[in-house]
Amino acid sequence: MATSTVENYLKHVLLLSEGGDDLVSMGALATAMEVVPGTATTMVKAIAGEGLVEHQPRYGVKLTAKGRRLALNVLRKHRLIETFLVNVLKMDWSKVHEEAEQLEHAISDEVLDRLDALLGHPTTDPHGDPIPNRQGRLNSQVYATLATCALDIPLRVVRVTEQSAEFLQFVEQNGLLPGAGIRVADRNLTAGLVKLKKTGGRTPIVSVAAAGKILVEPGK
Amino acid sequence: MATSTVENYLKHVLLLSEGGDDLVSMGALATAMEVVPGTATTMVKAIAGEGLVEHQPRYGVKLTAKGRRLALNVLRKHRLIETFLVNVLKMDWSKVHEEAEQLEHAISDEVLDRLDALLGHPTTDPHGDPIPNRQGRLNSQVYATLATCALDIPLRVVRVTEQSAEFLQFVEQNGLLPGAGIRVADRNLTAGLVKLKKTGGRTPIVSVAAAGKILVEPGK
DNA sequence: AGATTGTTTTTGACTCCTCAAAATGTTGCT
DNA sequence: AGCAACATTTTGAGGAGTCAAAAACAATCT
Ligand SMILES: [Mn+2]
Ligand SMILES: [Mn+2]
Ligand SMILES: [Mn+2]
Ligand SMILES: [Mn+2]
């Protein structure tokens, strides 16, 4: 059985290769894992020896089919646990990521299935992140962000792609939770600011950097 | 923060000193932890250095106040998680011990409190084991067992003191779950057998060894 | 008291994961 | 082509937890 360290490496390789399926660099992986680059190299060589990743020395790393299966199972656990903590235990959506980071390695597949049923087989977690299904199918739809979408058309927030508690609290304070209706009133790239208009009247202003982490779809 | 290995050592010292509060022997601790005796000695010296236990070389080990607080918190997590898995997720009572063995180290105090509230602040887990309260108070009442109680008086099963899945399934098959009404019809020490009589008619026969693990109180 | 038995401790070695710092390779720039 | 900047790998070391086997000790029996 893979240790929780190995599970974390695999999960981060998966997350870092979302979208483009090219190689993940050692530097990016080391940063994500919060270790020095040499440690990442050592571990990648070790898990490559177990057939979980393919290592192109000096260029990067990618998951094998076996590694991907494992990584998707960990990600499914993570996101279902987050959903449970918010929907059933009513925890703050800004704090569940840290919890799930631990629990994802402790929970069995049987408990996972029962949680999934209890929650009604959800397809996204509280942050709008898609939950891989039992078969390991991950719905990786590409969305526009508040930094790139067209101005003045009705939108709906579908996902927030950052897990830090501070950022999530900021998002909540400005009423930009997944599901919120919104439109972009103005965008000033030189000033780095995006002016929003909520259905209901509020007009929050966020930085372009923050706007790029809020994914939207055309909405009622 | 204590590692999960340390948490397990502390929990087992607590469990092995239930009742009498004298020293726990290295041999008993090593067996419980499923390590060789030398490993237990090494670990006990290490956690003694952190002020979690007091080590009487050559005689045994006992918890300090600090170690006891930690151990009780782990035990509380273990038993509340078991209760959650059975009462909410409807898992088999014979399988939840293994699950809780992992989850007890991954769950935060905040999730613990919310689980406790969701479950309605239970005082015992599915096996009848008492759940320490938030203040670390553990109700260690001493009960009679089916191997020692008086014959032919009405009894109620209150606790089963063994966690192996096989034994718990055996108990369930014979309708001896906590709460079951029962009386001892006959006890033959030489043959090592105990004949029971259930309210409802069934008359299961169990070994004296098994009977000693089923705790009862005088009951309707 | 002396010998035997069983328990505990010590010692040396190993796995897993990590870091610091030096060595090496790659890329882009002049 | 030569050099600088940056990323990656290698090397040596250490902490946590474990085992096997030898040494030390305690308890018990003659
Ligand atoms: Mn998360
Ligand atoms: Mn999430
Ligand atoms: Mn248990
Ligand atoms: Mn229990």
Side-chain angles (χ1 to χ4, degrees):
Chain A
M1 258 275 285
T3 65
S4 66
T5 302
V6 170
E7 290 187 341
N8 279 328
Y9 274 92
L10 295 175
K11 186 184 63 173
H12 279 119
V13 173
L14 176 67
L15 291 174
L16 289 169
S17 56
E18 236 194 326
D21 64 342
D22 24 323
L23 297 176
V24 173
S25 76
M26 285 302 136
L29 182 55
T31 302
M33 286 296 301
E34 301 182 67
V35 296
V36 300
T39 301
T41 300
T42 306
M43 280 301 299
V44 162
K45 291 209 303 187
I47 62 181
E50 294 171 35
L52 297 169
V53 297
E54 206 178 307
H55 184 204
Q56 232 88 74
R58 230 95 217 185
Y59 289 93
V61 65
K62 63 190 268 201
L63 295 170
T64 62
K66 185 176 163 198
R68 186 176 160 83
R69 248 196 318 102
L70 249 100
L72 281 165
N73 187 248
V74 176
L75 191 62
R76 174 167 160 83
K77 286 179 179 170
H78 183 104
R79 292 179 175 171
L80 274 174
I81 289 164
E82 287 187 344
T83 306
F84 168 76
L85 293 175
V86 169
N87 291 9
V88 177
L89 295 191
K90 310 297 180 197
M91 283 187 69
D92 195 305
W93 86 321
S94 71
K95 294 197 289 188
V96 296
H97 180 73
E98 284 309 307
E99 294 282 349
E101 216 43 63
Q102 303 306 312
L103 286 163
E104 65 189 2
H105 311 292
I107 206 177
S108 73
D109 286 350
E110 163 153 16
V111 171
L112 182 71
D113 283 344
R114 289 178 184 268
L115 272 187
D116 185 38
L118 176 72
L119 297 168
H121 308 285
T123 58
T124 61
D125 78 5
H127 313 108
D129 302 317
I131 299 173
N133 70 12
R134 275 200 73 174
Q135 286 70 44
R137 167 132 215 90
L138 179 58
N139 183 356
S140 308
Q141 199 170 333
V142 178
Y143 290 103
T145 76
L146 288 182
T148 59
C149 64
L151 297 187
D152 248 322
I153 61 166
L155 303 166
R156 193 157 295 281
V157 176
V158 294
R159 183 175 179 187
V160 179
T161 60
E162 153 140 5
Q163 358 279 332
S164 88
E166 305 76 51
F167 186 75
L168 294 175
Q169 273 155 22
F170 166 79
V171 168
E172 183 167 22
Q173 240 117 61
N174 287 99
L176 302 174
L177 294 174
I182 206 167
R183 58 181 70 205
V184 178
D186 187 31
R187 188 185 293 126
N188 184 333
L189 276 317
T190 29
L193 291 178
V194 180
K195 288 186 187 160
L196 306 173
K197 192 147 177 295
K198 287 207 59 184
T199 50
R202 273 208 284 169
T203 59
I205 302 180
V206 303
S207 73
V208 170
K213 294 170 182 166
I214 300 174
L215 308 194
V216 293
E217 64 181 2
K220 172 213 70 32
Chain B
M1 257 276 286
T3 65
S4 68
T5 303
V6 170
E7 289 186 343
N8 279 328
Y9 273 92
L10 296 175
K11 187 184 64 173
H12 278 119
V13 173
L14 176 68
L15 290 173
L16 290 169
S17 57
E18 235 194 328
D21 63 342
D22 25 325
L23 297 176
V24 172
S25 76
M26 284 302 136
L29 182 56
T31 302
M33 285 295 301
E34 301 181 67
V35 296
V36 299
T39 301
T41 301
T42 305
M43 279 301 298
V44 162
K45 291 209 304 185
I47 61 181
E50 294 172 35
L52 296 169
V53 297
E54 207 178 307
H55 183 205
Q56 232 88 74
R58 229 96 219 182
Y59 289 94
V61 64
K62 63 190 270 200
L63 295 170
T64 61
K66 185 177 162 197
R68 186 178 160 81
R69 248 196 317 102
L70 250 104
L72 282 165
N73 187 247
V74 176
L75 192 61
R76 176 168 159 81
K77 286 179 180 171
H78 183 106
R79 292 179 175 170
L80 275 174
I81 289 164
E82 286 187 344
T83 307
F84 168 76
L85 293 175
V86 169
N87 291 9
V88 178
L89 294 190
K90 309 297 180 198
M91 283 186 68
D92 194 306
W93 86 321
S94 71
K95 294 197 289 188
V96 296
H97 179 73
E98 285 309 306
E99 293 282 349
E101 215 44 64
Q102 303 306 312
L103 286 164
E104 66 189 2
H105 311 292
I107 205 177
S108 72
D109 286 350
E110 162 152 16
V111 171
L112 182 72
D113 283 344
R114 289 177 185 269
L115 272 187
D116 185 38
L118 177 72
L119 297 168
H121 308 285
T123 59
T124 62
D125 78 6
H127 314 107
D129 302 318
I131 298 173
N133 69 12
R134 275 200 73 174
Q135 286 69 45
R137 168 130 214 92
L138 178 59
N139 182 358
S140 307
Q141 197 170 333
V142 177
Y143 290 104
T145 76
L146 287 181
T148 60
C149 65
L151 297 186
D152 248 323
I153 61 167
L155 303 167
R156 191 156 295 280
V157 176
V158 294
R159 183 176 178 186
V160 179
T161 61
E162 153 141 5
Q163 358 280 332
S164 87
E166 304 76 52
F167 187 75
L168 293 175
Q169 273 155 22
F170 166 79
V171 168
E172 183 168 21
Q173 240 117 61
N174 287 100
L176 301 173
L177 294 175
I182 207 168
R183 58 182 70 209
V184 178
D186 188 29
R187 188 185 292 128
N188 185 332
L189 277 315
T190 30
L193 291 179
V194 180
K195 290 187 186 156
L196 305 173
K197 190 147 180 294
K198 288 208 58 184
T199 50
R202 273 207 286 169
T203 60
I205 302 180
V206 302
S207 74
V208 170
K213 294 170 181 165
I214 299 174
L215 308 194
V216 294
E217 65 181 1
K220 174 211 68 32

